[in-house]
């Protein structure tokens, strides 16, 4: 699977937007970009995913570069509850009979302060 | 809201004991997974299952074993616990998201294991 690169940590003030970058320069045409986050003492939770177009949901927005070599997860108004480790993961087009394995890297630890 | 449960949440046990970590989900998902995560470190896949009677080893070698006799349950067993098994164990299950088979994985709260 192609590799992703994320900053180890970022800080944000509460109520401000946060842009979490992810580089994936070796992404292939069949790789989807997934984001998960892991709150303290919890299992990871799905945030958003996309292929080529920008995506929005109730949790966040995903902006994907035109060449797909990078993407940015956008939290529009960070709250203290958004403090977590955010993982950017590439997943191939699902192949029949295979499991949907996620390869987690070290992610970005987001700190949100008052 | 995902319904996936793990018990126990915390377990402290002596070396040599046999332990079973329980994982169950009520969503009818066919695919289930076990990950291992040390504090502050990456998650590593150790086992997965496509469905009943199907189990495969993951990317990280583990001395644990799993079984999948029922869709809802995916227990993990350590026949003889050792201090090196001390870690957090996370269970997950997944559902299809429609086009091209992209899936969401839902994780349980994890079991923190300490082997003395």
């Amino acid at each position: 699977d192609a590799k992703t690169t994320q900053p180890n940590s970022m800080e944000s003030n509460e109520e401000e937007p946060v842009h979490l970058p992810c580089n994936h320069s070796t992404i292939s045409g069949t790789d989807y970009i997934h984001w998960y986050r892991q709150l303290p003492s919890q299992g990871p939770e799905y945030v958003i995913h996309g292929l080529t177009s920008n995506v929005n949901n109730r949790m966040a927005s995903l902006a994907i570069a035109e060449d797909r070599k990078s993407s940015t997860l956008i939290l529009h108004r960070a709250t203290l509850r958004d403090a977590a480790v955010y993982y950017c993961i590439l997943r191939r087009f699902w192949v029949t009979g295979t499991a949907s394995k996620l390869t987690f890297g070290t992610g970005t630890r987001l700190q949100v302060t008052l | 809201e995902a319904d996936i449960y793990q018990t126990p949440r915390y377990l402290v046990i002596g070396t040599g004991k046999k332990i079973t970590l329980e994982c169950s989900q009520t969503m009818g998902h066919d695919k289930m997974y076990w990950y291992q995560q040390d504090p502050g470190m990456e998650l590593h896949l150790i086992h997965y299952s496509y469905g009943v009677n199907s189990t495969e080893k993951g990317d990280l070698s583990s001395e644990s074993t799993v079984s999948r006799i029922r869709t809802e349950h995916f227990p993990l067993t350590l026949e003889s616990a050792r201090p090196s098994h001390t870690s957090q164990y996370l269970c997950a299950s997944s559902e299809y998201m429609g086009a091209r088979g992209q899936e969401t994985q839902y994780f349980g709260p994890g079991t923190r294991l300490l082997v003395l």
Side-chain angles (χ1 to χ4, degrees):
Chain A
D1 290 329
K3 186 177 171 59
T4 63
T5 304
Q6 299 176 254
N8 288 332
S9 63
M10 292 184 65
E11 289 186 19
S12 173
N13 294 322
E14 198 177 23
E15 302 296 319
E16 290 185 356
V18 181
H19 291 231
L20 297 164
C22 181
N23 288 320
H24 28 78
S25 58
T26 59
I27 191 170
S28 77
T30 54
D31 284 334
Y32 279 74
I33 302 158
H34 287 246
W35 284 81
Y36 281 72
R37 72 179 185 180
Q38 187 172 19
L39 302 171
S41 301
Q42 295 187 28
E45 64 176 346
Y46 167 80
V47 178
I48 201 166
H49 83 285
L51 182 62
T52 57
S53 303
N54 294 344
V55 184
N56 299 297
N57 66 21
R58 63 176 180 82
M59 290 181 71
S61 295
L62 177 60
I64 301 172
E66 196 169 336
D67 64 5
R68 300 206 330 122
K69 293 185 185 300
S70 65
S71 60
T72 302
L73 180 71
I74 302 166
L75 307 178
H76 295 286
R77 291 180 65 189
T79 70
L80 295 177
R81 289 175 294 179
D82 291 321
V85 178
Y86 287 79
Y87 299 99
C88 170
I89 302 165
L90 300 183
R91 279 199 54 242
R92 288 284 160 83
F93 181 110
W94 178 75
V95 177
T96 302
T98 63
S100 308
K101 296 186 286 183
L102 293 176
T103 301
F104 287 83
T106 54
T108 296
R109 183 173 298 277
L110 176 65
Q111 291 181 295
V112 181
T113 55
L114 293 171
Chain B
E1 191 74 22
D3 294 321
I4 181 163
Y5 309 98
Q6 291 186 244
T7 57
R9 292 291 311 277
Y10 304 91
L11 179 61
V12 181
I13 202 161
T15 297
K17 299 292 186 182
K18 177 180 179 178
I19 59 171
T20 296
L21 307 184
E22 299 288 347
C23 176
S24 62
Q25 49 96 5
T26 59
M27 299 170 283
H29 290 170
D30 286 329
K31 297 182 179 181
M32 296 189 73
Y33 312 82
W34 276 102
Y35 292 84
Q36 184 175 343
Q37 184 181 35
D38 292 330
M41 305 296 285
E42 302 175 33
L43 285 87
H44 294 284
L45 181 70
I46 52 174
H47 299 283
Y48 59 96
S49 168
Y50 306 132
V52 171
N53 295 326
S54 149
T55 62
E56 299 284 344
K57 290 194 176 296
D59 303 322
L60 180 69
S61 175
S62 173
E63 294 171 344
S64 59
T65 59
V66 292
S67 62
R68 191 86 183 278
I69 299 171
R70 294 167 54 185
T71 298
E72 314 86 72
H73 295 146
F74 192 38
L76 181 146
T77 299
L78 279 165
E79 290 293 333
S80 179
R82 293 207 298 268
S84 60
H85 296 140
T86 295
S87 189
Q88 178 173 235
Y89 294 85
L90 289 153
C91 180
S93 68
S94 65
E95 65 172 358
Y96 293 108
M97 291 176 69
R100 301 191 182 185
Q102 289 297 300
E103 303 186 4
T104 293
Q105 287 196 12
Y106 296 97
F107 284 80
T111 294
R112 291 187 184 273
L113 173 65
L114 172 61
V115 183
L116 302 175

